[in-house]
Amino acid sequence: MEFLLQPLTLVTFFPLLGVFVIAFINAEKKDAIRWTALITALATLLISFWAFAQFDKTNPNLQLEAKYAWIRVADWNIYYYLAVDGLSILLVLLTTLLSAISILSAWSAVQERVKEFMIFFLLLEVGMTGVFLAQDLFLFYIFWEFTLVPMYFIIGIWGGPRRIYSALKFFLYTMAGSILMLLAIIYLGVQAQNTFNVPELLARLPQLYASGQISPTAQMLLFVAFALSFAIKVPMWPLHSWLPDAHVEAPTAGSVILAGVLLKMGTYGFLRFNIPLFPNATIQAAPWMALLATIGILYGAAVSYAQADIKKLVAYSSVSHLGFVMLGLFALNAEGVSGAILQMVNHGLSTGALFLLIGMVYEQTHTRQFSDYGGLWKAMPIFAVMMLIAVFSSMGLPGLNGFVGEFTILLGAFGSKAIASPWYAGFSTLGVILAAVYLLYLFQKMFLGPDGKVITEHKLKDLNWREIVTMIPLVVFIFWIGLYPKPFFDILAPAVEKLLSALPL
Amino acid sequence: MHLSETMNSGFYYLAPLLVFAPLVGLLINGFFGKYLSEKVVGAIASLASGTTFLVAVLLAHSTALNHGQVVQVPFAAWIHAGGLQLDWTFRVDTLSTTMMLVVSGVGTLIHIYAIGYMHEDVRFKHDEARFSRFFVFLNLFILSMMILVSGDSYLMLFVGWEGVGLCSFLLIGFWYELDLLSLPSWSNSNAAKKAFITSRIGDVGFLIAMFLTFWHFGSLQFDAAFQAAPSVAQVSPGAITAITLFMLLGVAGKSAQIPLYVWLPDAMAGPTPVSALIHAATMVTAGIYLIARSAPVYSLVPQAQYIVALVGAATALFAATIAVGQYDIKKVLAYSTISQLGFMVAAVGSGAFVAGMFHLITHAFFKALLFLSAGSVILGIERGHHTHAHHAEPKGKKKKEEHAEVFDPGDMRNMGGLRKTMPTTFWVYVVGTLALAGIVPFSGFWSKDEILLETSLHYPLIYWLLTAAAFFTAFYMGRQIWLVFFGEPRSDAAKHSQESPPVMTIPLIVLAALSLLGGALNLPFSGFHNLTHWLSSTISGVESLPFNWGVAGMSTLLAVLALVVSWFLYGRNPLKEKQIDPLKKPLGWAFTGMENKWFVDELYRAVVIGPYERLAAFLADAVDWKFWHDFVHDTLIVGGFNGLTKTLLDRNVDQRGIDAFFNSWGAFAEWLSANLRKAQNGFIRTYALATLLGVVLILGYLILK
Amino acid sequence: MVSVNYYVALSAILFSIGALGVLSRRNTLIVFMSIELMLNAANLAFVAYARTYDTFSGQIFAFFVIAIAAAEVAIGLALVVEIYKSRNNVNIDDVNSLHG
Amino acid sequence: MTQPTYTDFYTIIPFLILIASACLLLVAELFIPKGRKGVVAFLSALGIAAALGFALTQIGASGVGFSGMTKLDGFSAYANILLLISGLLSIALAYGYIKRIGAERGEYYILLLFSLAGMMLMAQAGDLIVVFIALELLSIPLYVLSAISRKAKAEEAGIKYFLLGAFASGFIVYGTALVFGATGTTNLSAIVAKAADGANLGLLAIGAALILVGLGYKFAAVPFHMWTPDVYEGAPTSVTAFMAAGAKIAGLVALFRVFVTAFQPLAADMTNVFWALSAVTMIVGNLIAVTQTNVKRMLAYSAIAHAGYILMAFVPYGNPQVAATAIAAGLFHLAAYVIANFGSWGVVIALEKAEGKGLEIADYAGLSKKHPALALAMTVFMISLFGFPPTVGMVGKFYLFRSALEGGFPGLAVIGVIMSLVSAFYYLRIVVNMYMKDGDPEAEREPWLNFTIGLTAIATVVLGLIPQYLFLLAYNATLR
């Protein structure tokens, strides 16, 4: 039972302690609940740092394993198996960081049913962390599906006017993808002599592919089943229809987590499962994925530009941004994949920041229509500067984090052997222009120009200390990754190399 | 490596200060600016910029001592991903130090000037809190520009490249709530956006050029890439052509060449020091620097070079014609800048890298001078307007709805006769004009002459285009001088205009001196080719041509002729209030075209922007929302599903429904249901029927299989 | 000796009549009788087969069926009486307040 | 013929204990004054607990009793334990509820005991005669229980259940007759031997099919399901809960027992039948459930759907490599279903008011604010029925799909997962009402009811996280 005290177990399940404590706090004592949740999240963040401190950056393999034969009956081998490597450690840290930030951001935004909100949020953190750590497909699936439940409630209870519709849509879309993955997981486990353990699968699969026990067609079908599930989550064009609804209706903290972490679960799934488990299919599919990614980049950017709702614009921008991530992943070279992983983190930071900021102003104005805004810079200068940083980070301005990711992705995709054509990257590069178009539109309509309705009708206050503190970590990382990304790349590099060396390219 | 030894023997270790000095300045002003007085803020910012200049001087000194040797000063690791291994490394060589000196030198002067300018500007525009913000942005600009010129790789250059784009955006939109250019609302912020996005279009070219560079040369570091270039040129010359042409797109975006120059005139919405610093002297010349930096690559593909030169020359002429038809003092200068940038691009395209750089330097001097003087003029007019309006209307110049017509202090038609009220400004303006027009011995003459000379040797077409552009240049500058400083004041504001304070005029005088003497950098006489010699250690294979009387004589002649023509048109009979431009009549539709910038903006709006907006709206409303969201999801999936379940349910409840269901099962079921209907069946029996049906089906399968 | 097939055929016919009776009659009591007919058809088959195989178990089964049928009828009639008390008829088509 | 010995009786000791307690209570009940009939509940529970105690000792034991008429093995032990726990939960649910609806009678518990005994006998049957007797023993008390509140709807439920149940019995009996005709025996093990030895397989198949119909009626497979929603709605809710769990367990374990033991040779054909049955059951159950507005009916359709899921695991029963896992998966999911079933019916009981009010889904609006614990528990049950982590229902479904895939029926598995997706609509609708809409629901607070709901909720989650032991039990329960 020592697995219970290992760092990764603690990172994953520590929030449950908070849930437990909050469950016994009177629902009326809102501040006590908030503090408990925040302290729990911060403690989890610290634990994740502690785990990170033990992480060996030079080791390409899974580390800090917490392993326990969970279900062992006859021909069943299911492990409680958490481990981390260079592909996931950053995402774990991102998750714990954004969770703490989101809880802080919900301090004054959520006034109703605070107790339930915090409980759901901490549960969500458990699920998300678990997704990034699980190394047994069964366990992964459990975490994967579990994240839906708290998020469903967060959208459905604290969301906007169409929250129930959006929550259900979010739930069903994601679920629709994952059920096929469930079947694929089972099939894979059954074929590979009843194991769901990813390292074991990786050891056994080559032989199964070679012997024809899993035919190329079957491999492709498995790839598609996994891919569908992850692609909906990402979301890749054209499976993105749930995203604007979910984002627009979700409360700020929900949007932050949704964009910051939940979407990454999709791209992470590709990285962790699709690529290594189905190498041949991956290579076959790479140009097609690149095509979809490219369409997504351009389409998402174009659609963003035509939105009248600020949050919707940012929501659609995720389609575009994650298109970049997908493009990088399926470049299947060190540049592209490293860039894609870094870009996952970047998108979490910058889009997270955008949603946070929009939420902060929404708390005061209660409108998200561009037509109501204008000239905010004068009224809220600190807010404007924060937004400026977030917008340009999202746009990929060199020196900020977004650029490092986007550049390496595009560079990788441009010369990718798997994609085998520079055209995808070439067209995707146009996304850089379109990103400037819609993001500057956002900035302009909110902060520049003559004073909008919100200024004349409300007495707007600039960000308070809590809000600034909420933003600071994001801003720090935005600059850090932009200016000195080497440590981050160093974390990724061995694992990425290992991942790619296994591909028959 | 020799590096450490060389570093010890110079001030190279100071290189990071290029970036950190302005960084410190902007951080202090950014965080504490609102608690500091304007003087302190300005001093800090100028000091930061001045420190940069000092560092640049020391670096240049060290480089000179080391005979122009290239020195890389590593600072920190940066992107290490796969084969992409790039670090923050400063590159100190003759080319980069030249740029550093120009940027930080002119930049510092403009900082000082801006202390005076912005002091009044923020008061005229009623937001004094913005004073410190201006200097934060200005320092940020110096910082980005330093990264641009000192980077040791294309990517680091690109960081600065986009960084200056950001500053440009912020500074053009500095008075974001006003409409300084024209009446439509949001015009300042639109101009800022336009500048950034247009440059970004170019940046895509630059990015793709970098991708190609990386995959063909194996590195984005300058030395490594240039080393690989010749062998790659043998294997795949197409790749190199592609690299150079994509890079040209980037240059077109940043240095405002055809077809991406359209943002620069609009950028005049920014405060005048910005126009001087960013949109004339430094940032826009980044493209020329890029080509000069990439000289080893460009030299490999003459066809591409020719295209570059052609673009430059065409831009030079095209923009010069537009400048003739402009009324805004800054817009004239803006088009002039585009035109002059065209000269430089044509020069570097023709392989005359030194000539291009030379013109870049002299242009930085005289164009900065002109812009700052123009700013001085505008402020002078504003002062006049202010004192005048102060008595007439006590409050609210900004409130547009109260004014039928907004007073535009930049419109030359509102000026006239300023030489009396603003003598210093007048004189430095004249110096700038003569330098720009290319009159001996002003600096512009020498640099322009070198360009013309080089092109005349290689590309006659380019030469003629440039010569024509030079004629127009002198003409529109003459027109400007006559319109602004001569004749009678055409408005009350001009009548009451006042000279600017010394904090503004002193930098002007310094710049005027530089404009006058800048030519000494590279006099075309043997023993004087200082710049050529200096740059030759960085750009290999540059030749120093002897002075050519024919070319020089031709250009001087044309310039003088143009000035004379302009005098005939504008000086002899000064323009009256509300009088139509005298060129309008003789030139007719051509002048209309010039006035309206040859309708290029309208063309872009019709061909690119409008369609994109419509496409985006179509994708968003029709495709994404109505089709994907409403139709596919809500109607097809949800609706279909609901319909299905309702039907199933109805059949369970509704008797006719269940009969209909059975009907489809063939004759037997039909008979069955008919009999059941006859028997007026009730629900229990329906249920039993279902059971029986199941039995029949199962048995039927087992028996008939 | 009569072939077992005739008995089985007869039992099948009886069973079918019973089954169709359940489907077509509205009077609860007659529905009961139809069900009884189905059970007895089975009994016939049992007895017939038992004779073929020469074992007792078929007949034993038939006895069980008869006994259980009696128990069922007891319960069924009790329910019918309840229904009759509340609705004053025993038409099963009127027992349809629960549906959907 | 030999005299029965202790070994014979040992095989069915839990059954005997139940019958004995029922008979004793029948007498004792006469002496318990009206208004204190709750004592009967405790006594019945005591009887069940005793039986459960014995059943637990029988884990791992095996034996054959009464010349092969009854069987004791891991399978029966599993089923018995599950059924006895169901019995205890049913009594806990009924205790306060039948008082509330004015149906408190001593017979209630006694009938429940008899029915439970019948269910257990189903699991232990070694002969088709026993199957039939057990079926009737479980059914007849249920007919009465359905109508026990003597309300119009309950009576209607009773008569519907009875008529259709008797109708289905007819099929079982006739099917048994045909099986007997084909093989000359009704003993399950003997049938296999005869089938291999030149029996009339066609006749056997028809007989087997008719037995399937009868059993399918009990566990509510489409198209034999149509009574289910009406009866579930009409019967007192505590009876419904018992019926939904017990009758389904009994029907399915009997199906497993009979088909795996006796009709193995028919697997080639029957597999297709099961395939279709499973698919149709999943599809119809889930689709119709979506538009329900009454919670009881919705849960009824959900129960139908679950029969389909469990059948899915059973489809490859003829494949010896998979059969063991298949049945284990079925049994496991039965347990998962039963736990969530009692929990959810418990919540329904808590919210049900006199005169059948409080049963619409809309009546659940705002539950989370008023009774957060109840809402949370209901959410857990819905999630488990839906097959979502971290509940035992998810693990169960995982096993079911695995068995279908391992048996080579990916198409069925796909239907299964798609229908799981569909089921989100109706399970989540309750959650939506509880958490995302405003309302003012009132819930009864009865200690035993709360205890049952809490216990099942905890069990749902705990078994979801630690399924090891339950699965061990199920795995050892397979018929070999």
Side-chain angles (χ1 to χ4, degrees), chain A residues 165 169 173 240 245 299 302 305 316 335 377-378 395-396 398 410-411 415 432 444 449 483-486 489, chain B residues 77-78 80 83 88 130 133 162 176-177 186 189-190 193 200 204 211 215 612-613 616 624 628-629 633-634:
Chain A
Y165 167 88
K169 194 168 172 181
Y173 262 70
H240 61 280
D245 282 315
Y299 180 91
Y305 179 51
Y316 275 110
E335 295 85 4
W377 199 328
K378 208 184 285 179
M395 200 190 296
L410 288 171
L411 184 82
V432 170
Q444 181 195 22
L483 296 171
Y484 190 55
K486 181 168 179 292
F489 279 120
Chain B
W78 190 21
H80 287 220
W88 291 108
R130 249 179 260 191
R133 189 190 297 167
E162 287 251 306
Y176 51 77
E177 73 274 45
W186 296 86
S189 58
N190 278 335
K193 207 171 69 167
R200 267 241 156 167
V204 165
F211 302 152
W215 290 106
Y612 177 67
E613 280 179 345
D624 203 80
W628 281 120
H629 185 275
H633 178 265
D634 287 357

Side-chain angles (χ1 to χ4, degrees), chain C residues 1-65:
Chain C
M1 182 172 134
V2 186
S3 158
V4 72
N5 289 338
Y6 290 102
Y7 293 104
V8 175
L10 177 61
S11 87
I13 291 165
L14 284 175
F15 187 82
S16 304
I17 290 171
L20 290 174
V22 173
L23 295 183
S24 59
R25 308 311 295 234
R26 288 190 296 169
N27 187 310
T28 312
L29 291 172
I30 297 179
V31 172
F32 269 179
M33 285 165 65
S34 303
I35 292 174
E36 287 301 310
L37 194 59
M38 290 165 71
L39 294 177
N40 282 317
N43 283 346
L44 180 60
F46 265 120
V47 175
Y49 281 127
R51 223 183 77 181
T52 327
Y53 288 110
D54 200 17
T55 83
F56 284 116
S57 55
Q59 277 125 343
I60 292 168
F61 208 125
F63 283 124
F64 271 112
V65 172

Side-chain angles (χ1 to χ4, degrees), chain B residues 117 121 125 179-182 268-270 272 326-334 371 373-383 385 397 406-416 418 429 479-480 483-484 490-491 493-494:
Chain B
Y117 183 91
D121 197 33
K125 299 197 172 73
D179 305 305
L180 298 176
L181 285 179
S182 46
M268 296 303 126
T272 307
Q326 297 302 307
Y327 299 107
D328 187 290
I329 183 168
K330 282 172 75 180
K331 281 219 169 155
V332 173
L333 294 177
F371 264 116
S373 312
S376 176
V377 167
I378 292 169
L379 266 194
I381 298 279
E382 283 255 23
R383 280 181 213 116
H385 180 68
K397 176 178 89 66
V406 178
F407 177 73
D408 182 356
D411 194 326
M412 295 192 289
R413 287 170 295 194
N414 293 337
M415 301 177 183
L418 289 185
Y429 209 100
R479 170 176 179 260
Q480 199 171 32
L483 280 178
V484 174
R490 287 185 290 279
S491 68

Side-chain angles (χ1 to χ4, degrees), chain A residues 279-280 283 286 330-333 416-419 500-505:
Chain A
N280 299 313
I283 290 169
F330 281 88
L332 298 177
N333 52 22
S416 160
K417 279 199 211 96
I419 299 176
L500 295 174
S501 63
L503 287 177
L505 250 178

Side-chain angles (χ1 to χ4, degrees), chain A residues 304-305 313 354 370 387-388 390-395 397 432-449, chain B residues 165-166 168-170 186 189-200:
Chain A
S304 289
Y305 179 51
L313 183 147
L354 283 174
F370 279 116
M387 195 65 153
L388 189 70
V391 158
F392 277 90
S393 152
S394 183
M395 200 190 296
L397 185 83
V432 170
I433 305 174
L434 303 186
V437 172
Y438 67 79
L439 283 166
L440 287 184
Y441 173 78
L442 169 100
F443 190 78
Q444 181 195 22
K445 290 293 165 196
M446 285 183 79
F447 294 94
L448 310 181
Chain B
L166 166 70
S168 168
F169 168 79
L170 292 171
W186 296 86
S189 58
N190 278 335
K193 207 171 69 167
K194 184 175 177 183
F196 193 88
I197 291 169
T198 316
S199 312
R200 267 241 156 167

Side-chain angles (χ1 to χ4, degrees), chain D residues 197-467:
Chain D
D197 190 21
N200 181 348
L201 283 183
L203 199 59
L204 187 64
I206 293 172
L210 292 178
I211 291 174
L212 169 63
V213 171
L215 294 174
Y217 171 85
K218 278 290 155 220
F219 62 78
V222 177
F224 321 118
H225 69 291
M226 292 183 119
W227 58 275
T228 319
D230 291 5
V231 174
Y232 279 22
E233 185 189 350
T237 310
S238 61
V239 176
T240 309
F242 176 62
M243 193 162 22
K248 195 160 298 253
I249 302 172
L252 279 165
V253 295
L255 182 80
F256 291 176
R257 168 83 76 191
V258 170
F259 274 77
V260 172
T261 316
F263 299 138
Q264 194 73 22
L266 302 173
D269 295 330
M270 295 316 283
T271 290
N272 293 337
V273 174
F274 281 124
W275 196 103
L277 212 58
S278 164
V280 174
T281 307
M282 287 189 288
I283 293 172
V284 171
N286 279 310
L287 287 185
I288 298 184
V290 171
T291 45
Q292 296 303 321
T293 56
N294 182 299
V295 179
K296 287 177 85 173
R297 293 190 77 82
M298 188 218 87
L299 284 174
Y301 282 110
S302 148
I304 294 169
H306 274 270
Y309 294 133
I310 294 171
L311 267 185
M312 176 169 63
F314 192 60
V315 171
Y317 82 98
N319 179 343
Q321 283 178 318
V322 193
T325 0
I327 290 164
L331 288 180
F332 186 95
H333 197 68
L334 257 182
Y337 161 77
V338 164
I339 294 168
N341 169 73
F342 276 109
S344 48
W345 286 113
V347 176
V348 174
I349 286 174
L351 279 154
E352 183 174 343
K353 311 232 173 11
E355 307 305 323
K357 292 278 166 14
L359 290 172
E360 292 297 306
I361 292 179
D363 295 332
Y364 283 63
L367 190 65
S368 72
K369 276 189 193 155
K370 199 107 183 265
H371 302 284
L374 210 54
L376 178 68
M378 190 62 168
T379 308
V380 169
F381 302 134
M382 291 300 109
I383 285 178
S384 182
L385 288 173
F386 179 32
F388 231 61
T391 60
V392 66
M394 184 265 158
V395 186
K397 266 198 187 158
F398 189 86
Y399 288 153
L400 293 177
F401 290 134
R402 180 186 194 256
S403 143
L405 280 177
E406 208 177 356
F409 298 99
L412 192 62
V414 169
I415 295 177
V417 291
I418 291 173
M419 285 304 137
S420 287
L421 184 63
V422 169
S423 69
F425 278 102
Y426 57 90
Y427 291 129
L428 289 184
R429 182 168 299 143
I430 289 197
V431 177
V432 164
N433 273 279
M434 291 192 303
Y435 279 87
M436 302 168 197
K437 290 191 174 161
D438 290 326
D440 189 29
E442 287 196 14
E444 296 292 332
R445 296 189 157 275
E446 292 158 3
W448 283 109
L449 182 63
N450 288 346
F451 171 76
T452 312
I453 295 171
L455 185 74
T456 45
I458 291 168
T460 306
V461 175
V462 168
L463 285 175
L465 296 174
I466 314 172

